[in-house]
Amino acid sequence: MPSRRPLRAPSLDDGLWSRRLLSLTVAVGVAAAVAVPLLRVPRFDVDGAACGFWLMIGAQQLARRWWPRRDARLTWRLRVAGRDAVESGLVARRSPAGWVDRVADLLWITPMWLTGLSLLPEAQWAEVTRVALICGFAAWLGRAGYEEARFTGRLALTASGIRYGRRVYDWTNIDRVGPHRRDGRIDGVRLRPVIWHSLEPAPVVGGRDTAVPEERLIAAIEHYRSRPEVLGMGLPVTAPEPAPAAGPEPTAGSTTGR
């Protein structure tokens, strides 16, 4: 279901080069901020690093149980930086819980790296290995920073499709949408495809890491599924609100007022 585009060199006039340069700057800044302090410290405390590893694992598990209220709306943007072009569309930002999860995922591995570096012997080859591991770790975090800065919002609805992170789903291959349940809780919107060649479950967009709740995403996707070209006209649009839930029907003999 994700749109498949042939590998090709980016076009010089796709409007994304300023975004790429910004993302590259963020990546270099993150990598330098991580590598420079680590390279200056000759040895690390093994016990402290191991303790930090288990603390980060516990903090990550606790963070995933935190479900703050999500009541944001899709925001109109004239310039939405996507995968291959800049388009107009509606954007959903990452939720506070999503940011906490993202930071926790990036940081929990840090004590493990420090523990591994501390176990290296004092030898010339070990020093070269230590520098290579630190630079590799910094580059990994820098790439994560690049991915965050590269796209506009966590989720975007544009005329070319639904973008969730780096994945893009074509409007023409969406049969219907509905809430996705995980562990007894609604977490994301399932996109049921018209044609699905994979053995994996249908894709899910949004959820805990997106600030816009599922009912608003479903209403917007259903509204623009048959008319996605409206999002590409460059004119501001407002995402529709979900229909209010029907209240209980009055019982026989009840009165509605005096």
Side-chain angles (χ1 to χ4, degrees), residues 12-222:
L12 295 177
D13 58 351
D14 61 3
L16 287 171
W17 285 102
S18 60
R19 193 78 180 196
R20 293 189 181 101
L21 291 176
L22 171 63
S23 305
L24 183 61
T25 301
V26 172
V28 172
V30 170
V34 172
V36 172
L38 293 181
L39 290 173
R40 289 182 177 178
V41 180
R43 303 289 295 178
F44 300 98
D45 180 17
V46 179
D47 294 335
C51 180
F53 171 74
W54 290 110
L55 287 176
M56 288 302 300
I57 290 292
Q60 184 186 39
Q61 295 302 316
L62 289 175
R64 293 194 180 281
R65 295 179 178 274
W66 175 51
W67 282 77
R69 182 179 180 183
R70 294 177 296 132
D71 55 0
R73 289 176 169 81
L74 288 161
T75 305
W76 165 257
R77 295 285 186 87
L78 182 60
R79 294 178 57 83
V80 178
R83 194 168 69 179
D84 297 321
V86 175
E87 305 175 87
S88 57
L90 295 167
V91 175
R93 57 180 173 82
R94 189 185 287 273
S95 67
W99 282 114
V100 170
D101 290 346
R102 185 61 169 162
V103 173
D105 290 341
L106 296 177
L107 292 184
W108 77 266
I109 199 173
T110 302
M112 185 173 66
W113 275 79
L114 298 181
T115 302
L117 293 176
S118 302
L119 297 177
L120 292 175
E122 294 184 1
Q124 184 175 3
W125 68 267
E127 183 61 25
V128 175
T129 303
R130 175 179 174 274
V131 173
L133 289 175
I134 290 176
C135 292
F137 179 58
W140 179 68
L141 290 178
R143 177 173 176 78
Y146 177 91
E147 291 294 331
E148 288 297 330
R150 170 64 177 76
F151 299 99
T152 304
R154 177 61 176 157
L155 182 147
L157 309 182
T158 64
S160 61
I162 301 173
R163 181 188 56 77
Y164 181 54
R166 179 174 283 276
R167 292 179 176 271
V168 179
Y169 303 98
D170 292 326
W171 291 104
T172 56
N173 199 29
I174 299 176
D175 182 23
R176 57 183 178 182
V177 298
H180 169 66
R181 290 187 176 275
R182 179 180 300 165
D183 298 330
R185 187 192 296 265
I186 295 178
D187 186 16
V189 177
R190 184 182 297 277
L191 307 178
R192 180 174 177 178
V194 177
I195 301 175
W196 185 237
H197 299 290
S198 174
L199 297 178
E200 299 178 356
V204 177
V205 300
R208 183 176 181 275
D209 64 348
T210 306
V212 179
E214 284 78 10
E215 59 270 16
R216 284 179 178 160
L217 287 178
I218 292 174
I221 293 173
E222 287 285 9

